[in-house]
Amino acid sequence: MKLIKFSIFIRLLIIQYLSVLCVSEDFDFFYFVQQWPGSYCDTKHSCCYPRTGKPAADFGIHGLWPQNKDGSYPQNCNRDSSLDEDQISDLTSSLHKDWPSLSCPSSTGFRFWSHEWEKHGTCAESEEIDQHGYFEAALKLKEKANLLQALKSAGIKPDDEFYDLGSIKEAIREATGFTPGIECNTDASRNSQIYQVFMCADISGSEFIECPVQPKRRCESKVQFPEF
Ligand code: 5GP
Ligand code: 5GP
């Protein structure tokens, strides 16, 4: 009798383990990464405006990247899945505005979105997050964070001035409740400038969380916020 109960218990344990394996995602959280267009464009590689014209002077989405707590991350999780324009047709006007592509040659943005879907989005794909859900989640996070407004409220503007890295992080924490990671690059005169802002989101892609690990990116203690 004891042996039967024990074997039932073991079977239940195995079933529970398998069900967790099936529904759980293969990553711990998302990095939600936004880029400052002025800092993408004033570097040595320069930039090309999208075919739809010069984007607004606002942070643009770079990507929503599945990430693990140990610093590793999955990529290109489904070579058979490419972005289908029809799946995101109701989002394209928002994507043009909030997720413009600045690389050369000029494009509509679809190539950038496809690249991000294939490299990162496929690793987040689940019943809840399909192509539409993935891009919609990123657009909603951008709206929630409103980085430019957060910085402006603290007197930090894209005016080519230098600002304290600490006060940039503090302004974003004050407005959003979460401390961002900041990545810098250098302009043609080798000034350190704010390039990308990393925030973290839960695996549903709907809520910001405190970053389990900060991305290892370096900035000087004073960084320029270039005009765009
Ligand atoms: P870079 O070398 O410019 O920092 O990154 C190149 C590309 O690698 C990024 O555009 C992104 O797709 C990917 N990548 C870089 N760092 C990370 C990271 O910490 N997490 C994830 N998930 N992807 C990253
Ligand atoms: P990462 O997200 O893999 O993996 O790297 C970004 C890739 O998207 C690069 O191949 C880059 O040339 C392309 N790309 C197209 N538009 C943009 C843009 O506006 N910003 C950045 N960072 N990359 C872009």
Side-chain angles (χ1 to χ4, degrees):
M1 191 59 187
K2 259 191 183 164
L3 202 63
I4 294 172
K5 271 194 182 161
F6 184 70
S7 94
I8 290 173
F9 175 69
I10 292 292
R11 272 181 216 187
L12 283 174
L13 266 188
I14 291 172
I15 289 168
Q16 194 190 18
Y17 175 72
L18 287 177
S19 67
V20 166
L21 267 189
C22 290
V23 297
S24 69
E25 307 301 337
D26 259 354
F27 63 101
D28 297 329
F29 65 96
F30 281 111
Y31 278 139
F32 175 58
V33 186
Q34 296 186 65
Q35 61 182 2
W36 177 248
S39 305
Y40 186 89
C41 289
D42 72 1
T43 56
K44 265 190 284 175
H45 64 61
S46 186
C47 75
C48 293
Y49 295 154
R51 289 196 204 130
T52 41
K54 182 179 175 176
D58 188 11
F59 284 87
I61 300 170
H62 179 166
L64 182 61
W65 304 343
Q67 185 74 21
N68 295 316
K69 286 180 181 158
D70 66 6
S72 68
Y73 55 88
Q75 51 181 340
N76 300 111
C77 294
N78 183 359
R79 299 271 177 197
D80 298 327
S81 173
S82 48
L83 184 59
D84 174 2
E85 233 167 332
D86 295 341
Q87 301 284 321
I88 55 163
S89 56
D90 62 320
L91 301 176
T92 40
S93 67
S94 299
L95 290 170
H96 282 129
K97 180 174 150 289
D98 293 332
W99 201 328
S101 172
L102 292 163
S103 68
C104 295
S106 285
S107 69
T108 59
F110 189 75
R111 192 153 26 98
F112 188 26
W113 311 329
S114 295
H115 167 84
E116 291 298 312
W117 168 257
E118 288 169 21
K119 182 167 178 180
H120 302 283
T122 53
C123 302
E125 202 168 6
S126 66
E127 269 183 33
E128 292 77 35
I129 303 184
D130 54 10
Q131 295 191 350
H132 188 272
Y134 178 75
F135 287 94
E136 190 176 38
L139 290 166
K140 283 190 175 157
L141 289 173
K142 172 164 185 322
E143 210 173 306
K144 230 183 208 184
N146 200 350
L147 293 182
L148 198 59
Q149 187 52 48
L151 293 169
K152 280 185 177 163
S153 303
I156 300 170
K157 308 176 286 292
D159 56 2
D160 275 344
E161 291 299 318
F162 283 78
Y163 294 93
D164 211 56
L165 181 63
S167 44
I168 292 174
K169 288 190 181 183
E170 180 51 29
I172 295 172
R173 196 199 60 77
E174 181 72 30
T176 65
F178 300 96
T179 308
I182 308 288
E183 176 180 354
C184 292
N185 65 359
T186 51
D187 67 11
S189 318
R190 314 260 336 132
N191 292 312
S192 174
Q193 54 182 4
I194 175 170
Y195 169 45
Q196 299 202 115
V197 177
F198 285 64
M199 297 193 68
C200 294
D202 67 0
I203 57 167
S204 73
S206 60
E207 301 291 338
F208 285 120
I209 56 169
E210 212 45 71
C211 284
V213 281
Q214 283 289 355
K216 293 189 190 67
R217 313 281 155 155
R218 287 193 58 82
C219 288
E220 303 288 325
S221 56
K222 289 259 183 206
V223 297
Q224 197 171 23
F225 194 3
E227 284 178 7
F228 179 65

